[in-house]
Short mmCIF file of all heavy atoms in Angstrom, two decimals:
data_model
loop_
_atom_site.label_atom_id
_atom_site.label_comp_id
_atom_site.label_asym_id
_atom_site.label_seq_id
_atom_site.Cartn_x
_atom_site.Cartn_y
_atom_site.Cartn_z
N ARG A 293 54.02 167.34 28.89
CA ARG A 293 54.40 168.74 28.77
C ARG A 293 53.57 169.68 29.66
O ARG A 293 54.07 170.70 30.11
CB ARG A 293 54.27 169.20 27.32
CG ARG A 293 54.90 170.54 27.03
CD ARG A 293 54.89 170.87 25.55
NE ARG A 293 55.74 169.97 24.80
CZ ARG A 293 55.91 170.03 23.48
NH1 ARG A 293 55.28 170.94 22.77
NH2 ARG A 293 56.71 169.16 22.88
N ILE A 294 52.31 169.38 29.90
CA ILE A 294 51.42 170.32 30.59
C ILE A 294 50.46 169.57 31.49
O ILE A 294 50.10 168.41 31.23
CB ILE A 294 50.65 171.18 29.55
CG1 ILE A 294 49.97 172.36 30.22
CG2 ILE A 294 49.67 170.34 28.76
CD1 ILE A 294 49.42 173.38 29.26
N ILE A 295 50.06 170.26 32.57
CA ILE A 295 49.02 169.76 33.48
C ILE A 295 47.85 170.73 33.37
O ILE A 295 47.99 171.91 33.68
CB ILE A 295 49.52 169.69 34.94
CG1 ILE A 295 50.76 168.82 35.04
CG2 ILE A 295 48.42 169.17 35.85
CD1 ILE A 295 51.49 168.94 36.36
N LYS A 296 46.71 170.24 32.90
CA LYS A 296 45.53 171.09 32.70
C LYS A 296 44.47 170.75 33.74
O LYS A 296 44.22 169.58 34.03
CB LYS A 296 44.96 170.91 31.29
CG LYS A 296 45.79 171.57 30.21
CD LYS A 296 45.03 171.63 28.90
CE LYS A 296 45.83 172.42 27.86
NZ LYS A 296 45.09 172.57 26.60
N MET A 297 43.83 171.82 34.24
CA MET A 297 42.71 171.68 35.17
C MET A 297 41.49 172.33 34.54
O MET A 297 41.53 173.52 34.23
CB MET A 297 43.03 172.34 36.51
CG MET A 297 44.30 171.83 37.14
SD MET A 297 44.71 172.65 38.67
CE MET A 297 46.42 172.17 38.86
N TRP A 298 40.42 171.57 34.37
CA TRP A 298 39.22 172.07 33.68
C TRP A 298 37.98 171.45 34.29
O TRP A 298 38.01 170.41 34.94
CB TRP A 298 39.31 171.78 32.19
CG TRP A 298 39.79 170.42 31.82
CD1 TRP A 298 41.08 169.97 31.80
CD2 TRP A 298 38.99 169.28 31.45
NE1 TRP A 298 41.14 168.66 31.42
CE2 TRP A 298 39.88 168.21 31.19
CE3 TRP A 298 37.62 169.07 31.28
CZ2 TRP A 298 39.43 166.95 30.80
CZ3 TRP A 298 37.17 167.82 30.87
CH2 TRP A 298 38.07 166.79 30.65
N ASN A 299 36.85 172.14 34.04
CA ASN A 299 35.57 171.71 34.61
C ASN A 299 35.07 170.47 33.87
O ASN A 299 35.05 170.43 32.64
CB ASN A 299 34.55 172.85 34.50
CG ASN A 299 33.29 172.58 35.29
OD1 ASN A 299 32.48 171.75 34.91
ND2 ASN A 299 33.15 173.28 36.40
N LYS A 300 34.66 169.46 34.62
CA LYS A 300 34.26 168.20 33.99
C LYS A 300 32.87 168.27 33.35
O LYS A 300 32.52 167.40 32.54
CB LYS A 300 34.30 167.06 35.02
CG LYS A 300 33.22 167.11 36.08
CD LYS A 300 33.29 165.89 36.97
CE LYS A 300 32.17 165.88 38.00
NZ LYS A 300 32.23 164.70 38.87
N ASN A 301 32.07 169.30 33.70
CA ASN A 301 30.73 169.44 33.11
C ASN A 301 30.72 170.31 31.87
O ASN A 301 30.00 170.04 30.92
CB ASN A 301 29.76 170.02 34.15
CG ASN A 301 29.61 169.13 35.36
OD1 ASN A 301 29.53 167.91 35.22
ND2 ASN A 301 29.60 169.70 36.54
N THR A 302 31.54 171.38 31.88
CA THR A 302 31.53 172.34 30.76
C THR A 302 32.80 172.28 29.92
O THR A 302 32.79 172.74 28.78
CB THR A 302 31.36 173.77 31.30
OG1 THR A 302 32.47 174.09 32.15
CG2 THR A 302 30.06 173.90 32.07
N GLY A 303 33.89 171.76 30.47
CA GLY A 303 35.16 171.75 29.74
C GLY A 303 35.91 173.06 29.81
O GLY A 303 36.96 173.21 29.18
N LYS A 304 35.40 174.04 30.57
CA LYS A 304 36.06 175.34 30.67
C LYS A 304 37.36 175.21 31.47
O LYS A 304 37.40 174.60 32.53
CB LYS A 304 35.12 176.34 31.36
CG LYS A 304 35.66 177.76 31.39
CD LYS A 304 34.68 178.70 32.07
CE LYS A 304 35.25 180.12 32.12
NZ LYS A 304 34.33 181.05 32.82
N ILE A 305 38.42 175.84 30.94
CA ILE A 305 39.74 175.72 31.57
C ILE A 305 39.76 176.49 32.89
O ILE A 305 39.26 177.61 32.98
CB ILE A 305 40.85 176.20 30.61
CG1 ILE A 305 42.23 175.78 31.08
CG2 ILE A 305 40.76 177.69 30.38
CD1 ILE A 305 42.54 174.35 30.89
N PHE A 306 40.32 175.88 33.92
CA PHE A 306 40.45 176.53 35.23
C PHE A 306 41.84 177.16 35.36
O PHE A 306 41.98 178.35 35.60
CB PHE A 306 40.20 175.50 36.33
CG PHE A 306 40.34 176.05 37.73
CD1 PHE A 306 39.41 176.93 38.25
CD2 PHE A 306 41.43 175.68 38.53
CE1 PHE A 306 39.55 177.43 39.54
CE2 PHE A 306 41.57 176.18 39.81
CZ PHE A 306 40.63 177.05 40.31
N THR A 307 42.87 176.35 35.16
CA THR A 307 44.25 176.83 35.11
C THR A 307 45.12 175.72 34.52
O THR A 307 44.63 174.62 34.24
CB THR A 307 44.75 177.25 36.51
OG1 THR A 307 46.02 177.89 36.39
CG2 THR A 307 44.90 176.05 37.41
N SER A 308 46.38 176.02 34.34
CA SER A 308 47.31 175.03 33.79
C SER A 308 48.71 175.27 34.35
O SER A 308 49.05 176.39 34.72
CB SER A 308 47.33 175.09 32.26
OG SER A 308 47.77 176.36 31.83
N ILE A 309 49.50 174.20 34.38
CA ILE A 309 50.88 174.25 34.88
C ILE A 309 51.77 173.65 33.80
O ILE A 309 51.51 172.56 33.31
CB ILE A 309 51.04 173.47 36.20
CG1 ILE A 309 50.07 173.99 37.27
CG2 ILE A 309 52.47 173.55 36.70
CD1 ILE A 309 50.01 173.13 38.51
N GLU A 310 52.84 174.37 33.47
CA GLU A 310 53.82 173.89 32.50
C GLU A 310 55.18 173.77 33.19
O GLU A 310 55.93 174.74 33.27
CB GLU A 310 53.92 174.83 31.30
CG GLU A 310 52.67 174.86 30.45
CD GLU A 310 52.87 175.63 29.16
OE1 GLU A 310 53.89 175.40 28.49
OE2 GLU A 310 52.00 176.47 28.85
N PRO A 311 55.52 172.59 33.70
CA PRO A 311 56.82 172.42 34.36
C PRO A 311 57.96 172.50 33.36
O PRO A 311 57.78 172.34 32.16
CB PRO A 311 56.72 171.02 34.98
CG PRO A 311 55.27 170.65 34.93
CD PRO A 311 54.71 171.38 33.76
N GLU A 312 59.17 172.74 33.90
CA GLU A 312 60.35 172.83 33.05
C GLU A 312 60.74 171.46 32.48
O GLU A 312 61.16 171.36 31.34
CB GLU A 312 61.53 173.41 33.84
CG GLU A 312 61.32 174.86 34.26
CD GLU A 312 62.49 175.41 35.05
OE1 GLU A 312 63.45 174.65 35.28
OE2 GLU A 312 62.43 176.59 35.44
N ALA A 313 60.59 170.40 33.28
CA ALA A 313 60.92 169.04 32.83
C ALA A 313 59.64 168.29 32.48
O ALA A 313 58.54 168.67 32.87
CB ALA A 313 61.69 168.29 33.93
N ASP A 314 59.78 167.20 31.71
CA ASP A 314 58.63 166.39 31.32
C ASP A 314 58.01 165.72 32.54
O ASP A 314 58.71 165.26 33.44
CB ASP A 314 59.05 165.33 30.30
CG ASP A 314 59.42 165.95 28.96
OD1 ASP A 314 59.11 167.14 28.77
OD2 ASP A 314 60.02 165.26 28.13
N VAL A 315 56.68 165.63 32.52
CA VAL A 315 55.92 165.06 33.64
C VAL A 315 55.73 163.57 33.42
O VAL A 315 55.37 163.14 32.32
CB VAL A 315 54.56 165.78 33.78
CG1 VAL A 315 53.75 165.18 34.93
CG2 VAL A 315 54.76 167.27 34.00
N ASN A 316 55.94 162.78 34.47
CA ASN A 316 55.69 161.34 34.42
C ASN A 316 54.46 160.92 35.20
O ASN A 316 53.77 159.98 34.83
CB ASN A 316 56.91 160.57 34.96
CG ASN A 316 58.09 160.63 34.02
OD1 ASN A 316 57.93 160.67 32.80
ND2 ASN A 316 59.29 160.65 34.57
N ASP A 317 54.16 161.63 36.30
CA ASP A 317 53.00 161.26 37.13
C ASP A 317 52.58 162.47 37.96
O ASP A 317 53.40 163.35 38.25
CB ASP A 317 53.36 160.10 38.06
CG ASP A 317 52.12 159.45 38.67
OD1 ASP A 317 51.01 159.76 38.21
OD2 ASP A 317 52.26 158.64 39.61
N VAL A 318 51.28 162.52 38.30
CA VAL A 318 50.71 163.61 39.10
C VAL A 318 49.92 162.99 40.23
O VAL A 318 49.18 162.01 40.04
CB VAL A 318 49.81 164.53 38.25
CG1 VAL A 318 49.19 165.62 39.11
CG2 VAL A 318 50.59 165.16 37.12
N CYS A 319 50.05 163.58 41.41
CA CYS A 319 49.32 163.10 42.59
C CYS A 319 48.79 164.30 43.37
O CYS A 319 49.52 165.28 43.59
CB CYS A 319 50.25 162.25 43.47
SG CYS A 319 49.48 161.70 45.00
N ILE A 320 47.52 164.24 43.79
CA ILE A 320 46.91 165.31 44.58
C ILE A 320 46.88 164.86 46.04
O ILE A 320 46.46 163.74 46.35
CB ILE A 320 45.47 165.61 44.11
CG1 ILE A 320 45.45 165.90 42.61
CG2 ILE A 320 44.88 166.77 44.88
CD1 ILE A 320 44.05 166.05 42.05
N TYR A 321 47.31 165.77 46.91
CA TYR A 321 47.18 165.47 48.34
C TYR A 321 45.70 165.63 48.71
O TYR A 321 45.08 166.64 48.40
CB TYR A 321 48.05 166.42 49.18
CG TYR A 321 48.22 165.97 50.60
CD1 TYR A 321 49.26 165.13 50.96
CD2 TYR A 321 47.33 166.37 51.59
CE1 TYR A 321 49.42 164.69 52.26
CE2 TYR A 321 47.47 165.94 52.90
CZ TYR A 321 48.52 165.10 53.22
OH TYR A 321 48.67 164.66 54.52
N PRO A 322 45.10 164.62 49.37
CA PRO A 322 43.66 164.66 49.61
C PRO A 322 43.22 165.87 50.44
O PRO A 322 43.89 166.26 51.40
CB PRO A 322 43.37 163.34 50.35
CG PRO A 322 44.67 162.69 50.59
CD PRO A 322 45.74 163.43 49.91
N ASP A 323 42.05 166.44 50.02
CA ASP A 323 41.39 167.54 50.73
C ASP A 323 42.31 168.76 50.90
O ASP A 323 42.33 169.39 51.97
CB ASP A 323 40.89 167.08 52.11
CG ASP A 323 39.96 165.90 52.01
OD1 ASP A 323 39.19 165.85 51.03
OD2 ASP A 323 40.01 165.02 52.89
N SER A 324 43.04 169.09 49.86
CA SER A 324 43.93 170.26 49.94
C SER A 324 44.17 170.78 48.52
O SER A 324 43.69 170.22 47.54
CB SER A 324 45.27 169.90 50.60
OG SER A 324 46.07 169.14 49.73
N GLY A 325 44.94 171.85 48.45
CA GLY A 325 45.29 172.44 47.16
C GLY A 325 46.72 172.16 46.78
O GLY A 325 47.33 172.94 46.04
N MET A 326 47.29 171.04 47.25
CA MET A 326 48.69 170.71 46.99
C MET A 326 48.79 169.58 45.97
O MET A 326 48.03 168.61 46.02
CB MET A 326 49.40 170.31 48.28
CG MET A 326 50.89 170.07 48.11
SD MET A 326 51.74 169.94 49.68
CE MET A 326 51.76 171.65 50.18
N LEU A 327 49.76 169.74 45.03
CA LEU A 327 50.02 168.74 43.99
C LEU A 327 51.47 168.31 44.05
O LEU A 327 52.36 169.14 44.26
CB LEU A 327 49.75 169.32 42.60
CG LEU A 327 48.37 169.14 41.98
CD1 LEU A 327 47.41 170.13 42.59
CD2 LEU A 327 48.44 169.35 40.49
N PHE A 328 51.70 167.01 43.84
CA PHE A 328 53.05 166.47 43.69
C PHE A 328 53.20 165.94 42.26
O PHE A 328 52.26 165.31 41.73
CB PHE A 328 53.32 165.33 44.67
CG PHE A 328 53.20 165.72 46.12
CD1 PHE A 328 52.11 165.31 46.88
CD2 PHE A 328 54.17 166.50 46.72
CE1 PHE A 328 52.00 165.67 48.21
CE2 PHE A 328 54.06 166.86 48.05
CZ PHE A 328 52.97 166.44 48.80
N THR A 329 54.36 166.17 41.66
CA THR A 329 54.61 165.66 40.30
C THR A 329 55.95 164.93 40.26
O THR A 329 56.93 165.37 40.87
CB THR A 329 54.63 166.79 39.25
OG1 THR A 329 55.70 167.69 39.55
CG2 THR A 329 53.32 167.54 39.23
#
Side-chain angles (χ1 to χ4, degrees):
R293 192 173 294 180
I294 193 169
I295 303 167
K296 286 193 175 184
M297 305 177 196
W298 44 280
N299 191 287
K300 71 176 183 180
N301 298 319
T302 62
K304 186 180 179 182
I305 194 74
F306 179 71
T307 188
S308 61
I309 304 170
E310 293 189 47
E312 294 179 0
D314 291 347
V315 179
N316 289 327
D317 195 11
V318 178
C319 176
I320 306 173
Y321 194 89
D323 303 324
S324 73
M326 185 168 286
L327 267 78
F328 300 107
T329 62

